[in-house]
Amino acid sequence: MPTEPSAARIAYQGEPGANSHLACKEAYPGYEAVAYPTFEDALAAVKAGDVAYAMIPIENSVAGRVADIHHLLPGANLYIIGEYFLRVRHQLMGLKGAALGNVRKVMSHTQALGQCRKTLRALGLTPVPEADTAGSARLVAEQGDPTFAAIASSLAAEIYGLDILRPDVEDEAHNTTRFLILAKDPDDAEPGDGPVITTFLFRVRNVPAALYKALGGFATNGVNMTKLESYQLEGTFNATMFHADIEGHPAERLVQLALEELSFFSSEVRLLGTYPASPYRAEAARAAAPPTTGNHR
């Protein structure tokens, strides 16, 4: 372990009590979790050496990808060294002694509101988008209005002295956010050390069927691609960058062949990191597998 002051510090975006704060505490219990107002600030803190890592959400099982992250990663010049899956449990909270029947409006981050959309509609509550879940809890505490509530974590309720009016208000029991752990220097997993995920960015050449041909190598070499996201570049609808995750290590021969074919049809390929696959992946796969039955004739 490094000995500099940043070695035991991990950055997250938001205010104390945010779900990113919870992810830091669970994944790195011995580290000081440091709050930053924006994703850019959290990533810059890693680059400057103020913290060792950043815990950044990238996608949610209900609301989809987290806005801005895909645009920020290429310019951050950081490396992915791990992933963490957080089961997100949203709490509807209000002032001490407040009654749920008196609440009219609920503040939270847009993602959190979207993940509780059905519950809020059933309760007849008006969603009010804010920048952060924990920040919404702080606002409810500061405003002192019993008709306002917030959706945030149980940690936020504890920090800001609020009552949980209804627990676990997320619409889906599988509500889970995937986080990437980023560092200033690469720290790739070793080949053969167990299941790994490799994340990379690529940009295809502007020729017909370029994307189809670029991805063909993964199919023919039996490399499983678990994520593929596209987003526009340079303010146009012609330049497209892709963010992809695959199962496997670049040192493996079949992965090498797939990446070589990708490079042939791409104008840019950039590896962001090879890191251990979270145990959550295997657990989720087992849970989703159909039950086995006997052979009935």
Side-chain angles (χ1 to χ4, degrees), residues 153-291:
S153 69
S154 56
L155 178 60
E158 178 184 337
I159 290 173
Y160 301 108
L162 300 176
D163 281 349
I164 294 177
L165 306 179
R166 177 168 291 190
D168 300 340
V169 292
E170 62 275 7
D171 293 333
E172 304 292 343
H174 62 70
N175 189 18
T176 301
T177 295
R178 179 187 178 220
F179 291 82
L180 297 180
I181 303 159
L182 295 118
K184 185 176 181 180
D185 299 309
D187 186 17
D188 288 342
E190 293 296 325
D193 264 1
V196 298
I197 302 295
T198 295
T199 296
F200 55 91
L201 304 174
F202 69 98
R203 182 173 176 175
V204 295
R205 301 185 189 281
N206 190 22
V207 296
L211 179 60
Y212 173 81
K213 294 174 182 177
L215 297 181
F218 296 98
T220 56
N221 288 287
V223 177
N224 188 31
M225 181 170 286
T226 61
K227 177 181 177 68
L228 180 64
E229 292 270 7
S230 66
Y231 55 100
Q232 304 306 127
L233 295 175
E234 302 163 359
T236 74
F237 292 95
N238 298 319
T240 304
M241 182 74 81
F242 293 88
H243 173 117
D245 293 340
I246 59 171
E247 294 177 345
H249 199 288
E252 299 169 11
R253 180 59 179 159
L254 293 178
V255 175
Q256 285 180 355
L257 292 173
L259 290 174
E260 286 173 5
E261 191 160 343
L262 173 71
S263 298
F264 183 79
F265 292 102
S266 301
S267 58
E268 178 185 356
V269 177
R270 191 194 316 178
L271 296 179
L272 296 184
T274 298
Y275 45 93
S278 167
Y280 175 87
R281 291 179 179 271
E283 295 166 6
R286 284 194 296 269

